[in-house]
């Protein structure tokens, strides 16, 4: 059985605010949500900026007792899932819950929970840590929380492949719906990496920009870390039509590859193989793609390698592609990145408007594609891909189609 | 460039790369020593510890040889001494 897979709900919490509408409005206006970090004391890091969820108050979404059980990343997962499920209009009966999957990506798990516990241990020299540490910090805490809230008893799991976590998750969910293994899937990713210990680790890697994120620009100086979550509701196209659901787009294919090249340096060959695999899975020729939501981290290495990979897959058609990095606006949310970018790509197809690569200053001859610099571009696009390439050399690419 | 400075820098590189100290000479390039970008970051981290320095990203970018690394450290140490003098 091979079924078409529709997206019938999108939810997101990001640096633009706690809803998908706010995320899309920000991206469609070409605004950057990169601002000074408030979660750690100023002056403690080489980079002062991040894409933080603004004014987040857990008690707007959870009872105090519940909030205490959930790390920030798991809360984000639940907030985005609630919005997506509500938008889809699906009510989960016990029978449907059993035929529903949840696959949520997360790279680091409950980093601030771990950080806080270890501060008590090593900093304050206390002999013990909170008994909630494990339950809060496990990377599947977000997926588990959503399953508890909605009584979803089918396949529920988390994929952790660094920056590709969400694309790998959505890809697995897509295949389960396509094959008929499940009737509905809730898929995406969440991440809350902005705690001191983890930020210090990023600082030491020297890949974070001291000012802002300028993907494909010659003067780019690195990525900007972000946080948040995005969640999609997936179901068979026919099922969505039959129940009169609003179809927000389709997932048409998914491809993945491993570089087997270097633990942190990207490889154009590996990235290209994932894009080709995704197009083949979607049974689409390269010429049918109009938009690429790039991995586009704004690091020196990624942007050159990704440009090279896109050219090798698309040939002469690469010059006709619109390629943008929305990370220039919502930051790099690691295990949530692919999910936020899937939401961005679906918005682009649905609204006929390509979100730009903002903060763009000077063209780089090594990144000579149309990167939609600074200004949103109206364009009716039929099909798009969204790239995620992770440290560890793990690549995952999704293909999206506009709903007719 | 003092001999002492050269030997401290090359010593840190050798220790971080787990290679014999005598292989790290002033005229070697990172490529010859098989130092990739991640190794480079690890060496910068160790040098910061060795010399009690803060090595900014911009100062570190573009360093490709042992000589450039020693020169870079020398410059940062001079700036640090200057700053300490100004404070005193």
């Amino acid at each position: 059985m091979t079924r078409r897979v529709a997206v019938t709900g999108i939810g997101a919490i990001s640096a633009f605010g706690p809803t998908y509408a706010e995320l899309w409005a920000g991206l469609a206006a070409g605004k950057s949500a990169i601002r000074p970090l408030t979660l750690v004391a100023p002056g403690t890091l080489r980079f002062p900026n991040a894409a933080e969820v603004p004014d987040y108050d857990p008690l707007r979404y959870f009872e105090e007792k519940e909030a205490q059980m959930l790390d920030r990343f798991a809360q984000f997962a639940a907030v985005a899932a609630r919005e997506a499920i509500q938008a889809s209009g699906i009510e989960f009966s016990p029978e449907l819950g059993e035929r529903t999957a949840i696959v949520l990506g997360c790279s680091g798990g409950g980093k601030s929970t771990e950080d806080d516990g270890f501060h008590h241990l090593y900093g304050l020299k206390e002999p013990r840590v909170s008994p909630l540490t494990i339950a809060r910090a496990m990377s599947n805490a977000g997926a588990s929380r959503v399953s508890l809230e909605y009584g979803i008893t089918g396949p529920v799991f988390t994929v952790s492949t660094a920056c590709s976590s969400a694309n790998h998750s959505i890809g697995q969910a897509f295949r389960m719906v396509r094959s008929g293994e499940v009737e509905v899937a809730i898929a995406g990713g969440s991440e809350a990496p902005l705690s001191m210990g983890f930020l210090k680790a990023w600082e030491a890697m020297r890949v974070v920009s001291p000012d802002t994120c300028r993907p494909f620009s010659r003067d780019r100086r690195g990525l900007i870390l972000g946080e948040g979550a995005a969640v999609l509701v997936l179901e068979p196209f026919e099922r969505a039509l039959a129940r009169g659901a609003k179809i927000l787009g389709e997932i048409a294919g998914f491809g993945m590859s491993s570089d087997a090249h270097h633990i942190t340096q990207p490889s154009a060959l590996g990235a290209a193989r994932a894009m080709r695999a995704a197009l083949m899975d979607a049974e689409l020729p390269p010429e049918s793609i109009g938009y690429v939501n790039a991995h586009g981290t704004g690091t020196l290495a990624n942007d050159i390698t990704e440009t090279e990979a896109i050219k090798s897959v698309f040939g002469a058609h690469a010059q006709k592609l619109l390629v943008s990095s929305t990370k220039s606006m919502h930051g790099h949310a690691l295990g949530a990145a692919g999910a936020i970018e899937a939401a961005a790509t679906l918005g682009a197809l649905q609204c006929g408007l390509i979100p730009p690569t903002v903060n763009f200053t000077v063209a780089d001859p090594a990144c000579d594609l149309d990167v939609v610099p600074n200004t949103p571009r109206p364009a009716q696009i039929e099909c798009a891909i969204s790239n995620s390439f992770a440290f560890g050399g793990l690549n995952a690419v999704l293909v999206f189609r506009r709903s007719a | 460039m003092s001999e002492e400075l050269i030997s401290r820098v090359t010593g840190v590189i050798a220790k971080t790369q787990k290679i014999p100290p005598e292989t790290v000479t002033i005229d070697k390039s990172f490529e010859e020593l098989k130092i990739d970008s991640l190794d480079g970051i690890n060496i910068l981290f160790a040098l910061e510890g060795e010399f009690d320095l803060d090595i900014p990203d911009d100062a570190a970018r573009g360093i490709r040889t042992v000589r450039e690394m020693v020169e870079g450290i020398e410059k940062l140490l001079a700036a640090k001494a200057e700053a300490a003098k100004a404070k005193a």
Side-chain angles (χ1 to χ4, degrees), chain A residues 70-321:
Chain A
L70 297 166
D71 183 90
R72 190 174 170 97
F73 94 91
Q75 295 181 16
F76 288 166
V79 170
R82 288 174 191 173
E83 186 190 7
I85 291 167
Q86 197 185 357
S88 77
I90 293 175
E91 301 274 347
F92 288 100
S93 65
E95 294 72 28
L96 182 59
E98 229 178 285
R99 298 272 297 132
T100 297
I102 302 172
V103 193
L104 291 180
C106 180
S107 175
K111 283 295 169 202
S112 54
T113 296
E114 284 176 354
D115 223 5
D116 186 56
F118 296 157
H119 172 65
H120 280 264
L121 201 61
Y122 303 127
L124 304 176
K125 307 284 180 205
E126 290 172 10
R128 44 184 216 155
V129 299
S130 160
L132 303 181
T133 305
I134 298 294
R136 284 172 56 107
M138 60 191 187
S139 294
N140 59 305
S144 295
R145 170 70 198 189
V146 177
S147 96
L148 284 163
E149 276 194 23
Y150 290 93
I152 287 163
T153 53
V156 175
F157 58 98
T158 286
V159 179
S160 185
T161 48
C163 312
S164 294
S165 301
N167 265 17
H168 273 129
S169 297
I170 296 168
Q172 295 315 309
F174 157 67
R175 288 188 173 169
M176 279 193 279
V177 173
R178 184 171 67 177
S179 71
E181 186 178 347
V182 298
E183 209 38 40
V184 175
I186 294 159
S190 76
E191 199 79 50
L194 306 178
S195 79
M196 186 53 111
F198 200 48
L199 288 167
K200 278 285 168 191
W202 280 100
E203 176 183 83
M205 261 208 102
R206 295 176 183 268
V207 290
V208 181
S209 168
D211 49 17
T212 193
C213 175
R214 306 182 190 285
F216 305 112
S217 203
R218 200 171 63 198
D219 56 353
R220 65 189 179 277
R221 296 171 80 186
L223 58 87
I224 287 286
L225 290 163
E227 62 170 356
V231 171
L232 310 179
V233 174
L234 311 180
E235 61 186 298
F237 201 82
E238 296 303 326
R239 180 182 196 279
L241 280 183
R243 68 183 187 90
K246 184 164 185 202
I247 295 173
L248 309 172
E250 270 184 73
I251 300 187
F254 173 58
M256 43 187 165
S257 71
S258 170
D259 296 343
H261 164 66
H262 187 274
I263 197 71
T264 54
Q265 280 168 11
S267 142
L269 281 176
R273 281 197 296 114
M275 285 187 257
R276 283 198 191 96
L279 292 173
M280 196 178 287
D281 188 53
E283 298 178 1
L284 287 172
E287 293 72 30
S288 63
I289 302 296
Y291 171 56
V292 177
N293 185 297
H295 185 53
T297 53
T299 62
L300 224 51
N302 174 81
D303 297 359
I304 292 176
T305 310
E306 186 166 12
T307 303
E308 196 187 322
I310 289 171
K311 284 184 184 172
S312 87
V313 172
F314 291 94
H317 182 67
Q319 298 308 325
K320 292 187 196 151
L321 284 173

Side-chain angles (χ1 to χ4, degrees), chain A residues 46 203-208 210 220-221 262-265 300, chain B residues 36-38 41 44-45 48 53-58 60-61:
Chain A
R46 278 190 187 129
E203 176 183 83
M205 261 208 102
R206 295 176 183 268
V207 290
V208 181
R220 65 189 179 277
R221 296 171 80 186
H262 187 274
I263 197 71
T264 54
Q265 280 168 11
L300 224 51
Chain B
D36 68 17
S37 59
L38 192 58
I41 293 161
L44 291 170
F45 181 77
E48 284 184 329
L53 277 175
D54 181 48
I55 306 175
D57 289 347
D58 287 343
R61 197 164 296 143

